[in-house]
Coordinates of all heavy atoms in Angstrom, one line a residue:
H13 N -4.3 -63.7 -2.3 CA -5.3 -62.8 -2.1 C -5.2 -61.6 -3.2 O -4.3 -61.6 -3.9 CB -5.2 -62.2 -0.6 CG -3.9 -61.5 -0.3 ND1 -2.8 -62.2 0.1 CD2 -3.5 -60.2 -0.3 CE1 -1.8 -61.3 0.3 NE2 -2.2 -60.1 0.0
S14 N -6.3 -60.8 -3.1 CA -6.4 -59.8 -4.1 C -5.3 -58.8 -4.2 O -4.8 -58.4 -3.1 CB -7.7 -59.0 -3.9 OG -7.8 -57.9 -4.7
P15 N -4.7 -58.5 -5.3 CA -3.6 -57.5 -5.5 C -3.9 -56.2 -5.0 O -3.1 -55.4 -4.7 CB -3.2 -57.6 -6.9 CG -4.4 -58.2 -7.6 CD -5.1 -59.0 -6.6
K16 N -5.2 -55.8 -5.0 CA -5.7 -54.5 -4.7 C -5.8 -54.3 -3.1 O -6.1 -53.3 -2.6 CB -7.0 -54.2 -5.3 CG -6.9 -54.1 -6.8 CD -8.3 -53.8 -7.4 CE -8.2 -53.8 -9.0 NZ -9.5 -53.4 -9.5
S17 N -5.8 -55.4 -2.4 CA -6.1 -55.3 -1.0 C -5.0 -56.2 -0.2 O -4.6 -57.2 -0.6 CB -7.5 -55.9 -0.7 OG -7.8 -56.0 0.6
H18 N -4.9 -55.8 1.0 CA -3.9 -56.6 1.9 C -4.8 -57.5 2.8 O -4.3 -58.2 3.7 CB -3.0 -55.7 2.8 CG -3.8 -54.9 3.7 ND1 -4.3 -53.6 3.4 CD2 -4.0 -55.0 5.1 CE1 -4.9 -53.1 4.4 NE2 -4.7 -53.9 5.4
F19 N -6.0 -57.6 2.6 CA -7.0 -58.4 3.4 C -7.1 -59.7 2.7 O -7.0 -60.0 1.5 CB -8.3 -57.8 3.5 CG -8.4 -56.6 4.2 CD1 -8.5 -55.4 3.5 CD2 -8.2 -56.5 5.5 CE1 -8.6 -54.1 4.2 CE2 -8.2 -55.3 6.2 CZ -8.4 -54.1 5.5
F20 N -7.2 -60.8 3.5 CA -7.4 -62.2 3.0 C -8.9 -62.5 3.0 O -9.6 -62.0 3.9 CB -6.7 -63.2 4.0 CG -5.2 -63.1 3.9 CD1 -4.5 -62.5 4.9 CD2 -4.5 -63.7 2.9 CE1 -3.1 -62.4 4.9 CE2 -3.1 -63.7 2.8 CZ -2.5 -63.0 3.8
S21 N -9.3 -63.3 2.0 CA -10.7 -63.8 2.1 C -10.8 -64.7 3.2 O -9.8 -65.2 3.8 CB -11.0 -64.4 0.7 OG -10.4 -65.7 0.7
L22 N -12.1 -65.0 3.6 CA -12.3 -65.9 4.7 C -11.7 -67.3 4.4 O -11.1 -68.0 5.2 CB -13.8 -66.0 5.0 CG -14.1 -66.7 6.3 CD1 -13.4 -66.0 7.5 CD2 -15.6 -66.6 6.6
G23 N -11.8 -67.8 3.2 CA -11.3 -69.0 2.7 C -9.8 -69.0 2.8 O -9.2 -70.1 3.3
E24 N -9.1 -68.0 2.4 CA -7.7 -67.9 2.5 C -7.2 -67.9 3.9 O -6.2 -68.5 4.2 CB -7.2 -66.7 1.7 CG -7.3 -66.7 0.2 CD -7.1 -65.3 -0.4 OE1 -7.5 -64.3 0.2 OE2 -6.5 -65.4 -1.6
L25 N -8.0 -67.2 4.8 CA -7.6 -67.2 6.1 C -7.7 -68.5 6.7 O -6.7 -68.9 7.5 CB -8.5 -66.2 6.9 CG -8.2 -66.0 8.4 CD1 -6.8 -65.5 8.7 CD2 -9.3 -65.1 9.0
F26 N -8.7 -69.3 6.5 CA -8.8 -70.7 7.1 C -7.7 -71.5 6.5 O -7.1 -72.3 7.3 CB -10.2 -71.2 6.7 CG -11.3 -70.7 7.5 CD1 -12.5 -70.4 6.9 CD2 -11.2 -70.5 8.9 CE1 -13.6 -70.0 7.7 CE2 -12.2 -70.1 9.6 CZ -13.4 -69.8 9.0
V27 N -7.3 -71.4 5.3 CA -6.1 -72.2 4.8 C -4.9 -71.9 5.5 O -4.2 -72.7 5.9 CB -6.0 -72.0 3.3 CG1 -4.7 -72.6 2.8 CG2 -7.2 -72.6 2.5
L28 N -4.6 -70.6 5.8 CA -3.4 -70.2 6.5 C -3.5 -70.7 7.9 O -2.5 -71.2 8.5 CB -3.4 -68.6 6.5 CG -3.0 -67.9 5.2 CD1 -3.2 -66.4 5.4 CD2 -1.6 -68.3 4.8
I29 N -4.6 -70.6 8.6 CA -4.7 -71.1 9.9 C -4.6 -72.6 10.0 O -3.9 -73.2 10.8 CB -6.1 -70.7 10.6 CG1 -6.1 -69.2 10.8 CG2 -6.5 -71.5 11.8 CD1 -7.5 -68.6 11.1
L30 N -5.2 -73.3 9.0 CA -5.1 -74.8 9.0 C -3.6 -75.3 8.8 O -3.2 -76.2 9.4 CB -6.1 -75.4 8.0 CG -7.5 -75.3 8.4 CD1 -8.4 -75.8 7.3 CD2 -7.9 -76.1 9.7
N31 N -2.9 -74.6 7.9 CA -1.6 -74.9 7.6 C -0.7 -74.7 8.9 O 0.1 -75.6 9.2 CB -0.9 -74.0 6.5 CG -1.5 -74.4 5.2 OD1 -1.9 -75.5 5.0 ND2 -1.3 -73.6 4.2
E32 N -1.0 -73.7 9.6 CA -0.3 -73.5 10.9 C -0.7 -74.5 12.0 O 0.1 -74.9 12.8 CB -0.5 -72.0 11.5 CG 0.2 -71.7 12.7 CD 1.7 -71.5 12.5 OE1 2.1 -71.2 11.4 OE2 2.4 -71.6 13.5
A33 N -1.9 -74.8 11.9 CA -2.5 -75.8 13.0 C -2.0 -77.2 12.8 O -2.0 -77.9 13.7 CB -4.0 -75.8 12.9
S34 N -1.4 -77.5 11.7 CA -0.9 -78.8 11.4 C 0.2 -79.2 12.4 O 0.5 -80.3 12.5 CB -0.6 -79.0 9.9 OG 0.5 -78.2 9.7
T35 N 0.8 -78.2 12.9 CA 2.0 -78.4 13.8 C 1.7 -78.2 15.2 O 2.6 -78.4 16.1 CB 3.2 -77.5 13.3 OG1 2.8 -76.1 13.4 CG2 3.6 -77.8 11.9
M36 N 0.5 -77.7 15.6 CA 0.2 -77.4 17.0 C -1.3 -77.4 17.3 O -2.1 -77.4 16.3 CB 0.8 -76.1 17.4 CG 0.2 -74.9 16.6 SD 1.0 -73.4 17.1 CE -0.3 -72.3 17.0
A37 N -1.6 -77.6 18.5 CA -3.0 -77.6 18.9 C -3.6 -76.1 18.8 O -2.8 -75.2 19.1 CB -3.2 -78.1 20.3
M38 N -4.8 -75.9 18.4 CA -5.4 -74.6 18.3 C -6.6 -74.5 19.2 O -7.3 -75.5 19.3 CB -5.8 -74.3 16.8 CG -4.7 -73.8 16.0 SD -5.2 -73.1 14.4 CE -6.9 -72.8 14.5
F39 N -6.8 -73.4 19.7 CA -7.9 -73.1 20.6 C -8.4 -71.7 20.1 O -7.7 -70.9 19.7 CB -7.6 -73.0 22.1 CG -7.0 -74.3 22.6 CD1 -5.6 -74.6 22.5 CD2 -7.8 -75.3 23.0 CE1 -5.1 -75.8 22.9 CE2 -7.3 -76.5 23.4 CZ -5.9 -76.7 23.5
G40 N -9.7 -71.5 20.4 CA -10.3 -70.2 20.1 C -11.4 -69.9 21.1 O -11.9 -70.7 21.8
Q41 N -11.7 -68.5 21.0 CA -12.7 -68.0 21.9 C -13.6 -67.1 21.2 O -13.1 -66.4 20.4 CB -12.0 -67.2 23.2 CG -11.2 -68.1 24.1 CD -10.6 -67.2 25.2 OE1 -11.1 -66.2 25.5 NE2 -9.7 -67.8 25.8
V42 N -14.9 -67.1 21.5 CA -15.8 -66.1 21.0 C -16.3 -65.4 22.2 O -16.8 -66.0 23.1 CB -17.0 -66.8 20.3 CG1 -18.0 -65.7 19.8 CG2 -16.4 -67.5 19.0
V43 N -16.1 -64.1 22.2 CA -16.4 -63.2 23.3 C -17.6 -62.3 23.0 O -17.6 -61.6 22.1 CB -15.3 -62.3 23.8 CG1 -15.6 -61.5 25.0 CG2 -14.0 -63.2 24.0
I44 N -18.8 -62.6 23.7 CA -20.0 -61.8 23.4 C -20.5 -61.2 24.8 O -20.2 -61.7 25.8 CB -21.1 -62.7 22.8 CG1 -21.5 -63.9 23.7 CG2 -20.6 -63.2 21.4 CD1 -22.7 -64.7 23.2
G45 N -21.3 -60.2 24.7 CA -21.9 -59.6 25.8 C -22.5 -58.2 25.4 O -22.2 -57.7 24.3
P46 N -23.2 -57.7 26.3 CA -23.8 -56.3 26.0 C -22.8 -55.2 26.0 O -21.7 -55.4 26.6 CB -24.8 -56.2 27.2 CG -24.3 -57.0 28.3 CD -23.7 -58.2 27.6
P47 N -23.1 -54.1 25.4 CA -22.2 -52.9 25.5 C -21.8 -52.6 27.0 O -22.6 -52.6 27.9 CB -23.0 -51.8 24.9 CG -24.0 -52.4 24.1 CD -24.4 -53.7 24.8
G48 N -20.5 -52.3 27.1 CA -19.9 -52.0 28.4 C -19.7 -53.1 29.4 O -19.3 -52.8 30.5
S49 N -19.8 -54.3 28.9 CA -19.6 -55.5 29.8 C -18.2 -55.9 30.0 O -17.9 -56.8 30.8 CB -20.5 -56.7 29.3 OG -20.1 -57.1 28.0
G50 N -17.2 -55.3 29.2 CA -15.8 -55.7 29.4 C -15.2 -56.6 28.4 O -14.2 -57.1 28.6
K51 N -15.9 -56.7 27.3 CA -15.4 -57.7 26.2 C -14.1 -57.2 25.7 O -13.1 -58.0 25.6 CB -16.4 -57.7 25.0 CG -17.8 -58.2 25.4 CD -18.8 -58.2 24.2 CE -19.0 -56.8 23.7 NZ -19.7 -55.9 24.5
S52 N -13.9 -55.9 25.3 CA -12.6 -55.4 24.8 C -11.6 -55.4 25.9 O -10.4 -55.8 25.5 CB -12.9 -53.9 24.3 OG -13.7 -53.9 23.2
T53 N -11.9 -55.2 27.1 CA -10.9 -55.2 28.2 C -10.4 -56.7 28.3 O -9.2 -57.0 28.5 CB -11.5 -54.7 29.5 OG1 -12.0 -53.4 29.3 CG2 -10.5 -54.8 30.6
Y54 N -11.4 -57.7 28.3 CA -11.0 -59.1 28.4 C -10.1 -59.5 27.2 O -9.0 -60.1 27.4 CB -12.2 -59.9 28.4 CG -11.9 -61.4 28.4 CD1 -11.4 -62.0 29.4 CD2 -12.0 -62.0 27.2 CE1 -11.0 -63.4 29.3 CE2 -11.6 -63.4 27.0 CZ -11.2 -64.1 28.2 OH -10.8 -65.4 28.1
C55 N -10.5 -59.0 26.1 CA -9.7 -59.4 24.8 C -8.3 -58.7 24.9 O -7.4 -59.4 24.5 CB -10.4 -58.9 23.6 SG -11.9 -60.0 23.2
A56 N -8.2 -57.5 25.4 CA -6.9 -56.9 25.5 C -6.1 -57.7 26.5 O -4.8 -57.9 26.3 CB -7.1 -55.5 26.0
G57 N -6.6 -58.2 27.6 CA -5.9 -58.9 28.6 C -5.5 -60.2 28.1 O -4.3 -60.7 28.3
I58 N -6.3 -61.0 27.4 CA -6.0 -62.3 26.9 C -4.9 -62.1 25.7 O -4.0 -62.9 25.6 CB -7.2 -63.0 26.4 CG1 -6.9 -64.5 26.3 CG2 -7.7 -62.6 25.1 CD1 -6.7 -65.3 27.6
Y59 N -5.0 -61.0 25.0 CA -4.0 -60.7 23.9 C -2.6 -60.5 24.6 O -1.6 -61.1 24.2 CB -4.4 -59.5 23.1 CG -3.3 -59.2 22.1 CD1 -3.2 -59.8 20.9 CD2 -2.4 -58.2 22.4 CE1 -2.1 -59.5 20.0 CE2 -1.3 -57.8 21.5 CZ -1.3 -58.5 20.3 OH -0.3 -58.2 19.4
Q60 N -2.6 -59.7 25.7 CA -1.4 -59.5 26.4 C -0.8 -60.7 27.0 O 0.4 -61.0 26.9 CB -1.5 -58.4 27.5 CG -0.3 -58.0 28.2 CD -0.6 -57.0 29.3 OE1 -1.7 -56.6 29.4 NE2 0.5 -56.7 30.0
F61 N -1.7 -61.5 27.6 CA -1.3 -62.8 28.2 C -0.6 -63.7 27.2 O 0.5 -64.3 27.4 CB -2.4 -63.5 28.9 CG -2.1 -64.8 29.4 CD1 -1.4 -65.1 30.6 CD2 -2.5 -65.9 28.7 CE1 -1.1 -66.3 31.0 CE2 -2.2 -67.2 29.2 CZ -1.5 -67.4 30.4
L62 N -1.2 -63.9 26.1 CA -0.8 -64.8 25.0 C 0.5 -64.3 24.4 O 1.4 -65.1 24.1 CB -1.8 -65.1 24.0 CG -3.0 -65.8 24.5 CD1 -4.2 -65.8 23.5 CD2 -2.7 -67.3 24.9
T63 N 0.6 -63.0 24.1 CA 1.8 -62.5 23.5 C 3.0 -62.7 24.5 O 4.1 -63.0 24.1 CB 1.6 -61.1 22.9 OG1 1.2 -60.3 24.0 CG2 0.7 -61.0 21.8
E64 N 2.8 -62.3 25.7 CA 3.9 -62.5 26.7 C 4.3 -63.9 26.9 O 5.5 -64.2 27.2 CB 3.4 -61.8 28.0 CG 3.4 -60.3 28.0 CD 3.0 -59.6 29.3 OE1 2.9 -60.4 30.3 OE2 2.8 -58.4 29.2
A65 N 3.4 -64.8 26.7 CA 3.7 -66.2 26.8 C 4.3 -66.8 25.4 O 4.5 -68.0 25.3 CB 2.4 -67.0 27.2
Q66 N 4.4 -65.9 24.5 CA 4.9 -66.2 23.2 C 4.1 -67.2 22.5 O 4.6 -68.1 21.8 CB 6.5 -66.6 23.3 CG 7.3 -65.5 23.8 CD 8.8 -65.9 23.9 OE1 9.2 -67.0 23.7 NE2 9.6 -64.9 24.2
R67 N 2.8 -67.1 22.6 CA 1.9 -68.0 21.9 C 1.3 -67.2 20.7 O 1.1 -66.0 20.7 CB 0.7 -68.3 22.9 CG 1.1 -69.0 24.1 CD 1.5 -70.4 23.9 NE 0.5 -71.2 23.2 CZ 0.4 -72.5 23.2 NH1 1.4 -73.2 23.7 NH2 -0.6 -73.1 22.7
P68 N 1.1 -67.9 19.6 CA 0.6 -67.2 18.4 C -0.9 -66.8 18.7 O -1.6 -67.6 19.4 CB 0.6 -68.2 17.3 CG 0.8 -69.6 18.0 CD 1.4 -69.3 19.3
V69 N -1.3 -65.6 18.3 CA -2.6 -65.1 18.7 C -3.1 -64.3 17.4 O -2.3 -63.6 16.8 CB -2.6 -64.3 20.0 CG1 -1.7 -63.2 19.9 CG2 -4.0 -63.9 20.3
A70 N -4.4 -64.5 17.1 CA -5.0 -63.6 16.1 C -6.3 -63.1 16.7 O -7.1 -63.8 17.2 CB -5.3 -64.6 14.8
M71 N -6.4 -61.8 16.6 CA -7.6 -61.1 17.1 C -8.5 -60.7 15.9 O -8.0 -60.1 15.0 CB -7.1 -59.9 17.9 CG -6.1 -60.2 19.0 SD -6.8 -61.3 20.3 CE -7.9 -60.2 21.2
I72 N -9.7 -60.9 16.1 CA -10.8 -60.6 15.1 C -11.9 -59.7 15.8 O -12.5 -60.2 16.7 CB -11.4 -61.9 14.4 CG1 -10.2 -62.7 13.9 CG2 -12.4 -61.5 13.5 CD1 -10.8 -64.1 13.4
N73 N -12.0 -58.5 15.2 CA -13.0 -57.7 15.7 C -14.3 -57.7 14.8 O -14.2 -57.4 13.6 CB -12.6 -56.2 15.7 CG -13.7 -55.2 16.2 OD1 -14.5 -55.5 17.0 ND2 -13.8 -54.1 15.5
L74 N -15.4 -58.1 15.4 CA -16.7 -58.2 14.6 C -17.7 -57.2 15.1 O -18.8 -57.3 14.7 CB -17.2 -59.6 14.8 CG -16.4 -60.8 14.2 CD1 -17.1 -62.1 14.4 CD2 -16.2 -60.6 12.7
D75 N -17.2 -56.2 15.7 CA -18.2 -55.1 16.2 C -17.8 -53.8 15.4 O -16.8 -53.2 15.6 CB -17.9 -54.8 17.7 CG -18.8 -53.8 18.3 OD1 -19.6 -53.1 17.5 OD2 -18.7 -53.5 19.5
P76 N -18.7 -53.5 14.4 CA -18.5 -52.4 13.6 C -18.6 -51.0 14.3 O -18.3 -50.0 13.7 CB -19.5 -52.5 12.5 CG -20.6 -53.4 13.1 CD -20.0 -54.2 14.1
A77 N -19.1 -51.0 15.5 CA -19.3 -49.7 16.2 C -18.2 -49.5 17.2 O -18.1 -48.5 17.8 CB -20.7 -49.8 17.0
N78 N -17.3 -50.4 17.4 CA -16.1 -50.3 18.4 C -15.0 -49.6 17.7 O -14.2 -50.2 17.0 CB -15.8 -51.6 19.0 CG -14.8 -51.5 20.1 OD1 -14.3 -50.4 20.3 ND2 -14.6 -52.6 20.8
E79 N -14.9 -48.3 17.9 CA -13.9 -47.5 17.2 C -12.5 -47.5 17.9 O -11.6 -47.1 17.4 CB -14.4 -46.1 17.0 CG -15.6 -46.1 16.0 CD -16.2 -44.7 15.9 OE1 -15.6 -43.7 16.5 OE2 -17.1 -44.5 15.1
R80 N -12.5 -47.9 19.2 CA -11.3 -47.8 20.0 C -10.9 -49.2 20.5 O -11.3 -49.5 21.7 CB -11.4 -46.8 21.1 CG -11.6 -45.4 20.6 CD -11.6 -44.4 21.8 NE -12.1 -43.2 21.3 CZ -13.2 -42.6 21.8 NH1 -13.8 -43.1 22.9 NH2 -13.6 -41.4 21.4
L81 N -10.2 -50.0 19.8 CA -9.8 -51.3 20.2 C -8.6 -51.2 21.0 O -7.6 -50.6 20.6 CB -9.6 -52.2 19.1 CG -10.8 -52.7 18.3 CD1 -10.4 -53.5 17.1 CD2 -11.8 -53.4 19.2
P82 N -8.5 -51.8 22.2 CA -7.2 -51.7 23.0 C -6.3 -52.8 22.7 O -5.4 -53.1 23.5 CB -7.8 -51.8 24.5 CG -9.0 -52.7 24.3 CD -9.6 -52.3 23.0
Y83 N -6.4 -53.4 21.5 CA -5.5 -54.4 21.1 C -5.5 -54.4 19.5 O -6.4 -53.8 18.9 CB -6.1 -55.9 21.5 CG -7.5 -56.2 21.1 CD1 -7.7 -56.6 19.8 CD2 -8.5 -55.9 22.0 CE1 -9.1 -56.9 19.5 CE2 -9.8 -56.1 21.6 CZ -10.1 -56.6 20.4 OH -11.4 -56.8 20.0
P84 N -4.5 -54.9 18.9 CA -4.4 -54.9 17.5 C -5.3 -56.0 16.9 O -5.2 -57.1 17.3 CB -2.9 -55.2 17.1 CG -2.4 -55.9 18.3 CD -3.2 -55.4 19.5
A85 N -6.2 -55.6 15.9 CA -7.1 -56.5 15.3 C -6.4 -57.0 14.0 O -6.1 -56.2 13.1 CB -8.4 -55.9 15.0
D86 N -6.3 -58.3 13.8 CA -5.7 -58.9 12.6 C -6.8 -58.8 11.5 O -6.4 -58.6 10.3 CB -5.3 -60.3 12.9 CG -4.2 -60.4 13.8 OD1 -3.0 -60.0 13.5 OD2 -4.5 -60.8 15.0
I87 N -8.0 -59.0 11.9 CA -9.2 -58.8 11.0 C -10.2 -57.8 11.7 O -10.5 -58.1 12.8 CB -9.9 -60.1 10.7 CG1 -8.9 -61.1 10.0 CG2 -11.1 -59.9 9.8 CD1 -9.5 -62.5 9.8
D88 N -10.5 -56.8 11.0 CA -11.4 -55.8 11.7 C -12.6 -55.5 10.8 O -12.4 -55.0 9.6 CB -10.6 -54.5 11.9 CG -11.4 -53.5 12.8 OD1 -12.6 -53.7 13.1 OD2 -10.7 -52.5 13.2
I89 N -13.8 -55.9 11.2 CA -15.0 -55.6 10.4 C -15.2 -54.2 10.1 O -15.9 -53.8 9.1 CB -16.2 -56.3 11.2 CG1 -17.4 -56.5 10.2 CG2 -16.6 -55.4 12.3 CD1 -17.3 -57.5 9.2
M90 N -14.7 -53.3 10.9 CA -14.9 -51.8 10.6 C -14.3 -51.4 9.3 O -14.6 -50.4 8.8 CB -14.2 -51.1 11.8 CG -15.1 -51.1 13.0 SD -14.4 -49.9 14.2 CE -14.8 -48.4 13.3
K91 N -13.3 -52.2 8.8 CA -12.8 -51.9 7.4 C -13.8 -52.2 6.4 O -13.7 -51.8 5.2 CB -11.5 -52.7 7.3 CG -10.5 -52.6 8.4 CD -9.3 -51.8 7.9 CE -8.2 -51.8 8.9 NZ -7.9 -50.7 9.6
L92 N -14.8 -53.0 6.7 CA -15.7 -53.5 5.7 C -17.2 -52.8 5.9 O -17.9 -52.7 4.9 CB -15.9 -54.9 5.7 CG -14.6 -55.8 5.4 CD1 -14.9 -57.2 5.7 CD2 -14.2 -55.4 4.0
V93 N -17.5 -52.5 7.1 CA -18.9 -52.0 7.5 C -18.8 -50.7 8.2 O -17.9 -50.6 9.2 CB -19.5 -53.1 8.4 CG1 -20.9 -52.6 8.9 CG2 -19.7 -54.5 7.7
N94 N -19.6 -49.9 7.9 CA -19.7 -48.5 8.5 C -21.1 -48.5 9.3 O -22.1 -48.6 8.7 CB -19.7 -47.4 7.6 CG -19.7 -46.0 8.2 OD1 -19.9 -45.9 9.4 ND2 -19.5 -45.1 7.4
A95 N -21.0 -48.6 10.6 CA -22.1 -48.7 11.5 C -22.9 -47.3 11.6 O -24.1 -47.2 12.1 CB -21.8 -49.1 12.9
S96 N -22.2 -46.2 11.3 CA -22.8 -44.9 11.5 C -24.1 -44.6 10.8 O -25.1 -44.2 11.4 CB -21.8 -43.8 11.2 OG -20.8 -43.8 12.1
P97 N -24.2 -45.0 9.5 CA -25.5 -44.8 8.8 C -26.6 -45.6 9.4 O -27.8 -45.2 9.5 CB -25.2 -45.2 7.4 CG -23.8 -45.1 7.2 CD -23.2 -45.4 8.5
V98 N -26.3 -46.8 9.8 CA -27.4 -47.7 10.3 C -27.8 -47.1 11.7 O -29.0 -47.0 12.0 CB -26.8 -49.1 10.6 CG1 -27.8 -50.0 11.3 CG2 -26.4 -49.7 9.2
A99 N -26.9 -46.7 12.5 CA -27.2 -46.1 13.8 C -28.0 -44.8 13.6 O -29.0 -44.5 14.4 CB -25.9 -45.8 14.6
D100 N -27.7 -44.0 12.7 CA -28.5 -42.8 12.3 C -29.9 -43.1 12.0 O -30.8 -42.4 12.4 CB -27.8 -41.9 11.3 CG -26.4 -41.4 11.8 OD1 -26.2 -41.3 13.0 OD2 -25.6 -41.0 10.9
E101 N -30.0 -44.1 11.1 CA -31.4 -44.4 10.6 C -32.2 -45.1 11.6 O -33.4 -44.8 11.7 CB -31.2 -45.2 9.3 CG -32.6 -45.5 8.7 CD -32.5 -46.2 7.3 OE1 -31.4 -46.1 6.8 OE2 -33.5 -46.7 6.9
F102 N -31.6 -46.1 12.3 CA -32.5 -46.9 13.2 C -32.2 -46.6 14.7 O -32.9 -47.2 15.6 CB -32.1 -48.4 13.0 CG -32.5 -48.8 11.6 CD1 -31.6 -49.0 10.6 CD2 -33.9 -48.9 11.2 CE1 -31.9 -49.4 9.3 CE2 -34.2 -49.3 9.9 CZ -33.2 -49.5 9.0
G103 N -31.3 -45.7 15.0 CA -31.1 -45.1 16.4 C -30.6 -46.2 17.3 O -30.7 -46.3 18.5

């Protein structure tokens, strides 16, 4: 990955995941819903469950407006996108 950043490119991330997946079955979830529907609460719960079960877990936040994640995000879109100017312009 880039020496200027600690972030992996999407391609590098897939290679890392596939290397890990060669030794175990992998599953994933995409959680979608309207604001306030409990997506972050669900993700925090599933993160807690998987870590307590000693299962590998990677959390990816794709909501640039969610400033308070109740779980650690391995990849966070907020590091790349600022939703405030868009919200200000388009309301």
Side-chain angles (χ1 to χ4, degrees):
H13 60 279
S14 168
K16 295 180 183 179
S17 170
H18 65 277
F19 298 105
F20 292 99
S21 72
L22 195 53
E24 291 170 323
L25 180 62
F26 283 138
V27 169
L28 291 171
I29 290 171
L30 290 175
N31 286 340
E32 184 69 24
S34 65
T35 61
M36 61 185 214
M38 274 189 18
F39 300 92
Q41 296 180 16
V42 176
V43 181
I44 61 172
S49 63
K51 299 177 299 294
S52 293
T53 302
Y54 172 79
C55 289
I58 200 72
Y59 176 82
Q60 181 180 358
F61 172 79
L62 291 170
T63 54
E64 287 178 7
Q66 298 182 350
R67 302 289 298 199
V69 59
M71 303 299 287
I72 302 172
N73 174 42
L74 295 177
D75 182 356
N78 191 348
E79 296 178 358
R80 295 187 195 122
L81 291 176
Y83 54 85
D86 298 289
I87 299 174
D88 193 348
I89 195 72
M90 287 190 64
K91 306 253 190 244
L92 302 172
V93 176
N94 184 352
S96 295
V98 176
D100 291 343
E101 185 172 341
F102 298 103

